[in-house]
Amino acid sequence: MPLHNRLRELRARDSLNQGELGTLAGVSRQTISLIERGDYSPSVTLALKLAAIFHTSVEDLFSYTEEE
Amino acid sequence: MKKITTNTTPANTPPKKKYTMLKFIAIMVISMLVGAVVGGTMAAFLDNTDTASAALLSWLAAVLPTVHWVVFALLTVVSFGLYFAARTVVFAFERSGSENEKLSERADTLITFSMLANSLNMIFVYCIFGMLCALPMVLNLENSINVLVLFATIIVTTAHNVYSIKLYKRLAPEKRGDPLDFKFGKEWIDSCDEAEKMLIYKASYSTYKLMQVVLLAVWVLTAILGPFFDIGIYPMVIITIIWLAHTVGYQLSAIKLGKEKLNR
């Protein structure tokens, strides 16, 4: 999975559960879970929303590595 | 003009498959040979079909009234059994502070299978009732129980849908829509987020491709069995209507969506 994220780490930092983060971002708890597991790559809009919630940049929240 | 280069590697492209045309022609030739053998065999047995089909219809008339309510009872037990199992898991998930991901996934799976069993209940009961109506020897007072089974199925499957949707909304409170409302489908999908819509899209497209194969298979089956059961042209007309709705509906939707904002 080439798209990595720090969602779980930042969620723990801000004491947010998946449901609360989902509500803030306008998506379901299941979607947050899928993103954290790397099973779903969010759209640009959602990535920007998530970054804004954690007061960070998209590049700090998500990182992309080439598959070998 | 300076050529723009990037350091990223190009997306992996699958190697071009060789001999696809030859494989396609081989499959067509084999299909024609199989068709010729089946057709020849059918022609050989056609004179004896009246007895065979009468025996089959008599057997169906004897067993279907019982099969009807047995299928209803079994699938009702299965669908509600799964529903109550899902309910237990949802309550456990809520007690965990809505944090336990494994419980949430398990509840989701149980609700899905419960609704599948419920849908199968409705489909099989409706279809068997339809068959009973088409069997002239079954049209008497004895099939009044089968009418009751049909009404019971409508009530039971509707109730199951309502309870299942309410249970699912405990896992996903952002979902909107009342299953008894005719606008439920639109309200539900409007409340789905991008990942859920992606799942619906993939499942729908997979079903679309499956239906293309199923419709062709049903057409072949109807063409083969038609002479045996003297079914007239009505089944072929129905298959054609469904095939047209399936194919044309998809194509027209694709054209319409191509002119709209896709990710609104």
Side-chain angles (χ1 to χ4, degrees):
Chain A
M1 50 186 193
L3 190 69
H4 303 280
N5 66 82
R6 297 175 55 218
L7 221 55
R8 197 182 292 265
E9 173 197 329
L10 293 174
R11 209 167 42 79
R13 181 197 73 184
D14 291 358
S15 304
L16 286 172
N17 63 31
Q18 290 178 338
E20 287 164 348
L21 178 58
T23 305
L24 289 171
V27 295
S28 63
R29 188 195 50 74
Q30 290 93 329
T31 297
I32 298 297
S33 172
L34 285 168
I35 295 171
E36 285 184 2
R37 292 199 315 253
D39 287 341
Y40 176 69
S41 298
S43 65
V44 169
T45 310
L46 181 54
L48 286 165
K49 277 186 188 174
L50 290 169
I53 289 166
F54 292 116
H55 306 289
T56 186
S57 65
V58 172
E59 290 80 6
D60 187 47
L61 185 54
F62 296 96
S63 57
Y64 177 78
T65 51
E66 292 284 347
E67 278 182 329
E68 292 181 14
Chain B
M1 192 163 136
K2 196 176 177 183
K3 189 176 177 185
I4 298 170
T5 58
T6 64
N7 288 328
T8 56
T9 56
N12 287 334
T13 51
K16 197 173 176 183
K17 288 184 183 173
K18 294 180 183 174
Y19 311 120
T20 45
M21 179 64 85
L22 285 175
K23 283 180 190 169
F24 180 76
I25 292 170
I27 290 169
M28 289 295 109
V29 168
I30 292 168
S31 301
M32 278 195 296
L33 289 171
V34 169
V37 168
V38 170
T41 311
M42 271 175 57
F45 282 104
L46 209 54
D47 289 337
N48 300 325
T49 57
D50 287 346
T51 314
S53 68
L56 179 61
L57 289 175
S58 293
W59 178 77
L60 284 173
V63 302
L64 277 182
T66 307
V67 167
H68 194 217
W69 65 261
V70 168
V71 163
F72 166 68
L74 274 174
L75 285 172
T76 300
V77 165
V78 168
S79 61
F80 274 96
L82 288 168
Y83 165 79
F84 284 114
R87 205 168 80 126
T88 307
V89 178
V90 168
F91 290 165
F93 171 72
E94 286 173 344
R95 281 196 302 272
S96 75
S98 303
E99 284 283 349
N100 193 324
E101 211 175 292
K102 283 193 171 32
L103 283 177
S104 159
E105 282 172 17
R106 181 158 169 72
D108 200 336
T109 304
L110 284 168
I111 292 172
T112 305
F113 277 109
S114 164
M115 292 186 83
L116 175 62
N118 192 49
S119 296
L120 290 175
N121 194 1
M122 186 184 75
I123 291 167
F124 282 129
V125 168
Y126 278 31
C127 286
I128 295 172
F129 186 80
M131 284 193 244
L132 288 170
C133 290
L135 291 169
M137 60 285 273
V138 182
L139 283 177
N140 53 40
L141 287 175
E142 285 177 3
N143 67 355
S144 59
I145 189 167
N146 301 111
V147 175
L148 288 175
V149 169
L150 182 72
F151 285 134
T153 304
I154 293 169
I155 294 165
V156 162
T157 55
T158 304
H160 184 282
N161 272 338
V162 171
Y163 289 133
S164 298
I165 296 293
K166 279 187 179 169
L167 186 64
Y168 189 78
K169 281 181 176 179
R170 292 178 81 133
L171 282 178
E174 70 282 352
K175 291 288 172 293
R176 294 193 311 274
D178 182 346
L180 296 175
D181 188 356
F182 286 115
K183 292 181 192 170
F184 170 71
K186 187 177 183 317
E187 285 182 18
W188 184 268
I189 199 156
D190 282 347
S191 65
C192 286
D193 63 27
E194 56 183 63
E196 289 160 337
K197 284 178 180 168
M198 174 67 76
L199 189 145
I200 291 169
Y201 138 64
K202 285 187 170 182
S204 301
Y205 189 69
S206 172
T207 306
Y208 168 77
K209 289 196 300 180
L210 174 67
M211 280 303 294
Q212 285 181 314
V213 175
V214 167
L215 283 164
L216 189 59
V218 167
W219 180 89
V220 169
L221 200 65
T222 306
I224 290 173
L225 294 179
F228 288 88
F229 291 102
D230 192 24
I231 52 178
I233 66 168
Y234 186 63
M236 272 299 177
V237 171
I238 296 295
I239 291 168
T240 305
I241 291 170
I242 295 170
W243 209 339
L244 279 171
H246 169 260
T247 306
V248 173
Y250 174 81
Q251 300 291 353
L252 290 179
S253 287
I255 291 168
K256 181 171 174 275
L257 287 167
K259 296 176 184 172
E260 293 176 3
K261 267 179 79 171
L262 279 176
N263 60 349
R264 64 192 166 115

